[in-house]
């Protein structure tokens, strides 16, 4: 929970990809603090989850049920153990990643990879100075970044490195936000010429409702009811609120 305190101090939002053996009782507090929750793996046992697509989704579904039990809603963002282009999965099933990256989308998930690796997984308690240096160096001259960091008993130095990382990234011009499944939102942004996701939320006026629930509402009310009365109601509300701004 020290991480939540640090994130709050720097007004930073993050995404927590969780495993089934983690302290899932913390999830409501994480969500209430305005952070996103994503699925990673129930067991994180590569030899089990990557032996077949059936095994992978069996594992993912178990985790999904555990997370939903804690926060009361389904989570539709995820991160593959090892990333979507990992090679270790070939040891258990050749070509499985090619199949999985397509199938997770058909099942309603959006998966995320990282483009900045903190290196904290390279060993136990990697020096905080090295973690900070890894992140800030890799973040240079990028338009946007997704930083991979871990929170386990053997990663205490990652927490120590976090303040310096947040300060350093801010100096590089970065802002912090959670990951969202945004393909449902983009049509609305384009139609009403909103400048950003935050602008959209202000117009809709959902208050303190979680980002994931907002995404779910938009998906159900806009995309799935593209020609129905629900869409008309939502868009009318948006137009009315926009005119009041």
């Amino acid at each position: 929970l020290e991480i939540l305190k640090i994130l709050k101090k720097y007004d930073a939002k993050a995404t927590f990809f969780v495993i089934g053996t983690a302290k899932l009782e913390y999830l409501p507090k994480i969500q209430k603090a305005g952070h996103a929750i994503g699925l990673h793996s129930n067991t994180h046992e590569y030899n089990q989850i990557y032996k077949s697509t059936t095994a992978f989704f069996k594992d993912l579904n178990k985790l999904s049920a555990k997370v939903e039990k804690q926060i009361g809603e389904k989570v539709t963002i995820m991160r593959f153990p090892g990333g979507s282009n990992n090679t270790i999965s070939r040891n258990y099933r050749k070509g499985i990643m090619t199949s999985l990256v397509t199938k997770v989308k058909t099942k309603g998930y959006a998966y995320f990879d990282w483009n900045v690796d903190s290196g904290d997984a390279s060993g136990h308690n990697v020096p905080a100075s090295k973690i900070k240096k890894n992140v800030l160096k890799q973040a240079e001259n990028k338009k946007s970044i997704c930083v991979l960091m871990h929170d386990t008993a053997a990663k205490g130095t990652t927490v120590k490195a976090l303040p310096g990382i947040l300060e350093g990234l801010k100096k590089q011009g970065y802002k912090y936000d959670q990951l969202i499944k945004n393909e449902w939102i983009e049509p609305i942004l384009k139609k009403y010429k909103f400048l950003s996701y935050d602008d959209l939320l202000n117009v809709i006026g959902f208050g303190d409702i979680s980002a994931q629930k907002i995404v779910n509402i938009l998906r159900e009310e806009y995309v799935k009811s593209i020609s129905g009365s629900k869409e008309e109601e939502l868009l009318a509300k948006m137009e009315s609120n926009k005119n009041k701004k």
Side-chain angles (χ1 to χ4, degrees):
L1 297 181
E2 181 64 24
I3 291 176
L4 295 184
K5 295 178 183 178
I6 295 172
L7 292 172
K8 182 177 181 180
K9 178 180 178 181
Y10 290 91
D11 192 27
K13 300 304 180 188
T15 301
F16 292 78
F17 290 98
V18 301
I19 61 175
T21 55
K23 296 181 178 180
L24 298 182
E25 65 271 19
Y26 290 165
L27 294 187
K29 190 166 187 176
I30 291 172
Q31 187 184 63
K32 187 175 181 180
H35 306 292
I37 296 168
L39 305 178
H40 190 37
S41 172
N42 188 51
T43 63
H44 210 267
E45 295 290 343
Y46 283 51
N47 63 332
Q48 294 297 315
I49 63 176
Y50 286 138
K51 65 181 181 181
S52 68
T53 55
T54 299
F56 178 85
F57 284 110
K58 182 178 180 181
D59 176 271
L60 190 67
N61 290 340
K62 284 183 179 180
L63 175 60
S64 178
K66 290 179 180 180
V67 171
E68 185 176 3
K69 183 177 180 180
Q70 289 292 331
I71 64 175
E73 60 192 63
K74 287 186 177 298
V75 169
T76 57
I77 63 173
M78 58 163 293
R79 180 170 76 82
F80 288 106
S84 66
N85 60 350
N86 79 79
T87 57
I88 193 172
S89 60
R90 298 174 189 170
N91 296 331
Y92 314 111
R93 185 83 173 199
K94 290 184 179 180
I96 190 171
M97 295 313 302
T98 301
S99 177
L100 287 177
V101 295
T102 299
K103 289 191 174 183
V104 293
K105 293 179 181 179
T106 63
K107 291 181 179 293
Y109 291 103
Y111 70 86
F112 291 88
D113 286 315
W114 60 93
N115 61 355
V116 171
D117 186 353
S118 69
D120 64 353
S122 62
H124 292 327
N125 289 315
V126 176
S129 59
K130 185 175 182 180
I131 294 173
K132 175 184 172 182
K133 183 178 179 180
N134 287 341
V135 173
L136 298 185
K137 181 65 177 177
Q138 293 175 52
E140 292 177 354
N141 303 316
K142 283 185 169 68
K143 291 184 178 180
S144 63
I145 60 173
C146 183
V147 183
L148 176 65
M149 305 176 79
H150 298 83
D151 177 27
T152 68
K155 310 299 178 189
T157 51
T158 301
V159 182
K160 293 180 180 178
L162 188 55
I165 289 173
L166 293 172
E167 291 170 4
L169 290 177
K170 186 175 182 180
K171 289 179 181 178
Q172 290 187 27
Y174 287 104
K175 295 182 179 180
Y176 317 109
D177 206 351
Q178 57 184 291
L179 298 172
I180 59 171
K181 183 178 178 183
N182 62 6
E183 65 261 35
W184 312 112
I185 298 173
E186 288 174 357
I188 302 177
L189 293 178
K190 290 179 180 179
K191 184 170 184 176
Y192 283 88
K193 299 179 181 179
F194 291 112
L195 297 178
S196 67
Y197 175 64
D198 287 337
D199 188 18
L200 170 62
L201 300 192
N202 289 334
V203 170
I204 296 177
F206 279 112
D208 295 329
I209 193 171
S210 75
Q212 183 60 50
K213 192 168 288 185
I214 292 170
V215 172
N216 288 343
I217 289 174
L218 290 176
R219 179 181 59 196
E220 294 171 6
E221 302 291 338
Y222 185 80
V223 179
K224 291 188 177 181
S225 302
I226 200 70
S227 61
S229 60
K230 288 185 178 180
E231 183 214 13
E232 294 172 2
E233 286 179 23
L234 178 61
L235 295 182
K237 179 180 179 181
M238 290 167 59
E239 187 69 20
S240 175
N241 288 342
K242 186 175 183 180
N243 291 333
K244 292 177 183 178
K245 297 293 181 180

